[in-house]
Amino acid sequence: MKKLQNRLSNLVGIRMGIWGFSLLCSLASVQAHPTIFKGGFVFDNLNQSDKNEAAAHYSILPTLSLGVHGLRQNLDGKNLYSVTSYTGLLLKRWNEKNFQANTYIYGGVGFARYQQKSKPAFYAGAQADIENRQWLLMGKFETMQFKKFEDLYTYMGRLGFAPYQANYEELQGWMILEYDFQPFRQKAHEVSAIARFFYRSFLIEAGSSFRGDLKLNLMFHY
Amino acid sequence: MKLKTLLTSLILTLAFPMASFAKEITLVVKGMTCAFCAQGIEKKFKRKEAVKDIKVDLDTGKVLISFKDKADIGDEELQKMIKDSGYTLEKIER
């Protein structure tokens, strides 16, 4: 049984390595919509110098999404890889004439590999956001727990402003100020300026922290 | 001549209500603030056989739906489709 577990762990580790390198780019969180419309598929990818994160999930209900989540996080010069399941739950949505507000929880279980060892991993987060066509405010907390590895915690806040109001089929731009607090990093506090553009089902975010750490986020809905 | 005019008028009068016009309805939707998220509405409606075209207007918060021939979608189903898209249907203008 233990042999099988080790083999499985090694296999997961190898696959995680391939996945991590193939993404090229670095723990902040995927700026996902934890759930979308019923029958909708989301691919979400976040890249920073010390981290890559990706999630793919399918909304079986507008309030419930299922999928997978992967992460590469550089810790003290060594990469930690994890693959977990993904479940997103919309707790409550307020749809009003001029704004929408949401509260979500999400998470999953899986494996993590770090310093040649594989361990079970648990991923969980909570998110609240409110936006109208000109302003957006978002707060989020995430944690990744590993048996015997360092647990990762991320706190994130975002304030966004749309300089113009594009209609449905036009290119929309946003300017976003993001604050991250990640106690496991040497420089735990980070403020970033991000430009977000979306057109139809494609979203791209590009920016940099004030320390010069580049960020590139991509999202696709289908 | 009079009879010919009369017959033509009669035929046109009878034919007019039978002509197939594409029906249009307008949905007033709450919470539609983001074009990226509202794509779900378009995707859901375009999957419906009855729907010929759909136009989403974020400025007015309205969704204009054109149906094929005499096709239609009932109010209850419209309500469900908007709910499944993540929004709240406020009003249907037929």
Side-chain angles (χ1 to χ4, degrees):
Chain A
M1 186 65 188
K2 201 162 186 178
K3 249 183 179 178
L4 183 67
Q5 197 179 359
N6 282 340
R7 285 183 73 175
L8 190 65
S9 293
N10 286 336
L11 192 64
V12 169
I14 291 162
R15 284 185 178 170
M16 281 302 301
I18 293 165
W19 173 84
F21 283 114
S22 69
L23 281 174
L24 295 173
C25 315
S26 336
L27 202 126
S29 55
V30 176
Q31 310 314 326
H33 294 137
T35 65
I36 59 164
F37 59 92
K38 185 181 174 182
F41 173 81
V42 178
F43 174 74
D44 204 344
N45 169 229
L46 179 146
N47 306 289
Q48 280 179 239
S49 60
D50 64 344
K51 154 184 175 166
N52 304 102
E53 193 174 358
H57 53 97
Y58 177 80
S59 284
I60 55 172
L61 292 171
T63 52
L64 177 66
S65 194
L66 300 173
V68 290
H69 171 264
L71 170 76
R72 176 191 73 86
Q73 174 68 54
N74 192 284
L75 295 170
D76 302 323
K78 286 178 179 143
N79 284 326
L80 178 148
Y81 298 102
S82 85
V83 172
T84 62
S85 60
Y86 179 93
T87 302
L89 204 61
L90 171 66
L91 294 180
K92 173 83 179 156
R93 172 168 287 161
W94 293 265
N95 280 320
E96 294 303 330
K97 195 173 178 189
N98 296 315
F99 74 90
Q100 187 185 75
N102 304 287
T103 52
Y104 302 95
I105 53 171
Y106 51 90
V109 290
F111 288 97
R113 188 160 176 85
Y114 183 56
Q115 294 184 326
Q116 312 298 320
K117 288 177 188 160
S118 297
K119 299 285 177 192
F122 169 72
Y123 162 72
Q127 179 181 317
D129 60 64
I130 181 166
E131 74 172 80
N132 61 20
R133 294 187 64 203
Q134 194 150 36
W135 294 95
L136 75 84
L137 189 64
M138 186 182 106
K140 155 155 131 171
F141 163 73
E142 278 184 8
T143 182
M144 190 145 246
Q145 308 273 327
F146 312 103
K147 206 177 171 186
K148 295 187 181 169
F149 299 157
E150 184 184 359
D151 295 334
L152 310 178
Y153 294 92
T154 299
Y155 305 83
M156 197 257 277
R158 278 183 155 203
L159 176 66
F161 172 73
Y164 64 96
Q165 294 185 2
N167 211 328
Y168 185 65
E169 291 183 343
E170 296 165 354
L171 179 73
Q172 176 69 68
W174 285 83
M175 297 184 300
I176 295 169
L177 200 61
E178 181 181 296
Y179 166 72
D180 294 283
F181 173 53
Q182 297 172 315
F184 62 89
R185 292 174 100 187
Q186 268 192 339
K187 290 173 181 170
H189 300 273
E190 188 174 74
V191 178
S192 307
I194 293 167
R196 166 194 278 187
F197 296 97
F198 57 75
Y199 178 71
R200 299 200 66 98
S201 298
F202 297 93
L203 180 147
I204 183 164
E205 292 180 344
S208 169
S209 73
F210 288 115
R211 283 197 292 265
D213 186 11
L214 299 175
K215 295 183 174 189
L216 178 68
N217 307 330
L218 307 164
M219 203 194 300
F220 170 68
H221 284 183
Y222 179 72
Chain B
M1 183 63 187
K2 269 188 182 175
L3 185 66
K4 202 175 173 183
T5 311
L6 190 69
L7 278 172
T8 311
S9 305
L10 189 66
I11 289 165
L12 282 174
T13 311
L14 289 172
F16 186 77
M18 292 162 74
S20 58
F21 291 100
K23 190 179 173 180
E24 284 188 350
I25 62 166
T26 302
L27 309 179
V28 182
V29 179
K30 288 204 292 187
M32 219 166 48
T33 54
C34 156
F36 185 61
C37 313
Q39 299 292 326
I41 296 179
E42 185 181 329
K43 287 188 166 82
K44 287 216 86 65
F45 277 89
K46 280 195 167 169
R47 285 172 194 167
K48 282 276 170 190
E49 184 62 31
V51 175
K52 185 182 173 190
D53 196 21
I54 173 167
K55 287 199 175 4
V56 178
D57 189 342
L58 296 182
D59 291 338
T60 58
K62 290 180 176 178
V63 178
L64 178 74
I65 297 161
S66 309
F67 292 104
K68 286 176 189 164
D69 296 329
K70 292 172 191 167
D72 198 0
I73 298 177
D75 290 4
E76 223 168 88
E77 196 174 350
L78 289 169
Q79 184 95 32
K80 188 179 180 303
M81 287 172 78
I82 293 295
K83 192 181 171 192
D84 285 347
S85 304
Y87 298 94
T88 304
L89 180 58
E90 190 181 17
K91 202 161 73 175
I92 303 168
E93 294 171 357
R94 286 190 180 270

